[in-house]
Amino acid sequence: MRVLVIGGGVIGMTTAYYLLQAGMTVTVLERRENAGLETSAGNAGLYSPSDAFSWASTSALKLAIRSLINPDLGIQYKLRFDPMLWRWSVSFLGQCRHSAWRRNSEAKYRLAEYSLYMLNKLRDDTRLDFDVSDQGIVYACRDTAALEGLKQHFNFLEDRGLKLQHLDQDALIEKVPALNANAKIYTGAIYSADCKTGDSEKFSQALARVCMDSGNCQIEWGANVERILTDKKTISSVCASKGEFRADAYVLAAGPQSGFLARQVGVRLPIYPIKGFSITAPIINDEMAPGPGFDDTERLVAMSKFGNRLRIASSAVFDGFDESHQPKDFQAILRLAREVFPDAADYDKAEYWAGLRPMTPSSKPILGLSSVSNLFLNVGHGHLGWTLSCGAGKVVADIVAGTPPETETEAFALGQ
Ligand SMILES: Cc1cc2nc3c(=O)[nH]c(=O)nc-3n(C[C@H](O)[C@H](O)[C@H](O)COP(=O)(O)OP(=O)(O)OC[C@H]3O[C@@H](n4cnc5c(N)ncnc54)[C@H](O)[C@@H]3O)c2cc1C
């Protein structure tokens, strides 16, 4: 069976890898010159089932109000004429009920756990180098009340099997010795030992090489998909800047752009792009950098060490498909970096990046068959696409191959 994957981000590449494992012949069409150069390029690097909460919750509105008082939180809802944003927002509000939050977070957590299992297996099988770290992730709090609140928040995932440790101030310093000079900033933390950090751009590119080396995969870089042609509710071919391509089945994995392509064949995807920012700075003193992934839960800033680079990410800006950035967008990130890990990296040499999270109102990705008989979806992974990548890729490859997925997938069907 020949399968064509549209998009070579981390989601497209994991899908291609598992399709090849299932014995398919795969073509990937990617408009950029390599894999993982869009949203998968600059994310915070956390491979974290511990973040598998839906953003739509009863506390979302409180957070929106907090962000009006404290602009450092980086949450901005830009009011503008944008019917797509209005529709998305109404739908998001509908998912904020506690019962919906529980359902969405639970489904997401199950997929994230499965995805972590699949990542570990993929690492055993391929020995990919993507600056991965197995030191876990620390969620740090600045005061006792916040720490109590965070413990309660995490109860939901602990009840479902996530293993966590509660760290007081001393235990936190032991886990992150680089905090010693600023020991008073944080009261304590929650620590997730099983979570990982790693560079999803490097991972995507290494996985692309593995796919090409298989001999059954063709990747067309610089192939911008312009039109999807159908014949009686079946895709007949895909027209890209590098020609026309045909396959038996098609997987859409075009990240934030997926909605535009799906609409051409009458499939509506509730995906809105939510912008975030990150910096990547060269580490100049390894001992002064955090070893585990690090999340300042009050400032909503997350960071990962990728070898000799420190990645720090934040913000959620509702501003359409605009990917531009200005120096002021990085002020809060730089302020926190210089406050907490001042001697770790050369922040004057940081590279700046902005990218769009492909977000659904429920924060759940959409996986599996669409209303077009040979079009499969692996889209809408929002704030957690790196974490969900291996699990979602395997699930979609199984569905395409007609093999029952090893994890529950009903919650991710289109329209759920
Ligand atoms: C600031 C920030 C921090 C984040 N932090 C984390 C984190 O710590 N952990 C985590 O799990 N997730 C995180 N995420 C989310 C994660 O990065 C995304 O969910 C994930 O990268 C989405 O992958 P994707 O492959 O769907 O999209 P993309 O990486 O955008 O890939 C889609 C690909 O499709 C291609 N494409 C699009 N249109 C076409 C076309 N017409 N023709 C051909 N190719 C096309 C694009 O060029 C692109 O390469 C973060 C996101 C942001 C913005």
Side-chain angles (χ1 to χ4, degrees), residues 34-351:
N34 207 333
L37 292 178
E38 300 259 327
T39 312
S40 305
N43 62 41
L46 310 181
Y47 207 101
S48 50
S50 45
D51 285 310
F53 293 104
S54 168
W55 276 14
S57 70
T58 47
S59 34
L61 287 178
K62 284 186 224 146
L63 190 60
I65 293 165
R66 248 180 77 203
S67 69
L68 292 176
I69 303 161
N70 181 1
D72 264 12
L73 292 182
I75 301 172
Q76 285 176 53
Y77 188 93
K78 297 198 178 169
L79 265 188
R80 44 193 239 140
F81 183 77
D82 184 352
M84 186 181 172
L85 174 59
W86 303 342
R87 270 195 306 274
W88 187 94
S89 304
V90 170
S91 192
F92 177 85
L93 288 173
Q95 297 290 332
C96 283
R97 293 181 325 275
H98 192 61
S99 55
W101 175 85
R102 286 176 71 90
R103 211 173 40 246
N104 295 334
S105 301
E106 167 134 31
K108 211 167 155 164
Y109 172 67
R110 293 280 167 238
L111 181 62
E113 273 284 277
Y114 175 64
S115 195
L116 182 60
Y117 164 77
M118 291 310 297
L119 174 75
N120 289 334
K121 204 162 170 308
L122 184 147
R123 283 174 69 193
D124 288 345
D125 294 345
T126 60
R127 306 269 155 213
L128 288 193
D129 171 18
F130 56 104
D131 292 329
V132 64
S133 158
D134 295 308
Q135 292 190 52
I137 298 174
V138 159
Y139 296 85
C141 292
R142 291 175 179 248
D143 61 61
T144 317
L147 187 57
E148 273 314 307
L150 191 68
K151 282 178 187 166
Q152 281 172 26
H153 181 64
F154 271 122
N155 275 345
F156 180 81
L157 295 186
E158 280 188 292
D159 288 348
R160 282 151 187 83
L162 182 70
K163 287 191 214 75
L164 295 172
Q165 290 169 34
H166 297 181
L167 309 178
D168 61 15
Q169 202 171 54
D170 290 343
L172 172 59
I173 306 291
E174 210 172 296
K175 192 65 72 196
V176 189
L179 281 175
N180 202 14
N182 295 304
K184 294 262 156 55
I185 298 179
Y186 299 103
T187 339
I190 307 279
Y191 174 62
S192 170
D194 293 337
C195 292
K196 319 272 174 217
T197 57
D199 181 345
S200 64
E201 176 186 343
K202 210 168 164 179
F203 175 89
S204 306
Q205 293 174 4
L207 200 56
R209 284 192 292 276
V210 169
C211 290
M212 285 189 283
D213 288 348
S214 73
N216 286 323
C217 182
Q218 172 194 3
I219 305 187
E220 294 286 345
W221 305 122
N224 184 40
V225 173
E226 286 149 3
R227 265 180 322 133
I228 303 179
L229 305 179
T230 51
D231 180 17
K232 298 189 195 117
K233 274 283 180 193
T234 301
I235 297 182
S236 50
S237 70
V238 157
C239 295
S241 51
K242 288 182 107 178
E244 194 170 348
F245 295 82
R246 288 175 203 282
D248 303 305
Y250 299 78
V251 178
L252 182 60
Q257 307 299 324
S258 300
F260 296 122
L261 291 168
R263 207 175 309 151
Q264 289 186 16
V265 293
V267 176
R268 277 198 168 270
L269 299 177
I271 296 175
Y272 194 80
I274 302 187
K275 182 149 87 171
F277 304 103
S278 72
I279 64 162
T280 309
I283 291 178
I284 48 174
N285 188 343
D286 197 60
E287 285 177 11
M288 301 313 282
F294 189 86
D295 189 326
D296 183 313
T297 57
E298 190 183 310
R299 304 279 170 87
L300 307 179
V301 175
M303 59 184 88
S304 295
K305 186 158 81 98
F306 300 153
N308 57 6
R309 297 167 297 143
L310 189 60
R311 168 73 51 79
I312 313 179
S314 180
S315 304
V317 181
F318 297 74
D319 191 21
F321 286 84
D322 170 30
E323 285 182 67
S324 65
H325 55 75
Q326 301 169 27
K328 72 174 171 49
D329 297 324
F330 301 90
Q331 277 170 9
I333 293 177
L334 285 166
R335 204 165 24 248
L336 180 116
R338 292 193 165 113
E339 177 196 9
V340 182
F341 299 110
D343 303 317
D346 186 346
Y347 298 113
D348 292 335
K349 295 208 176 111
E351 287 171 17

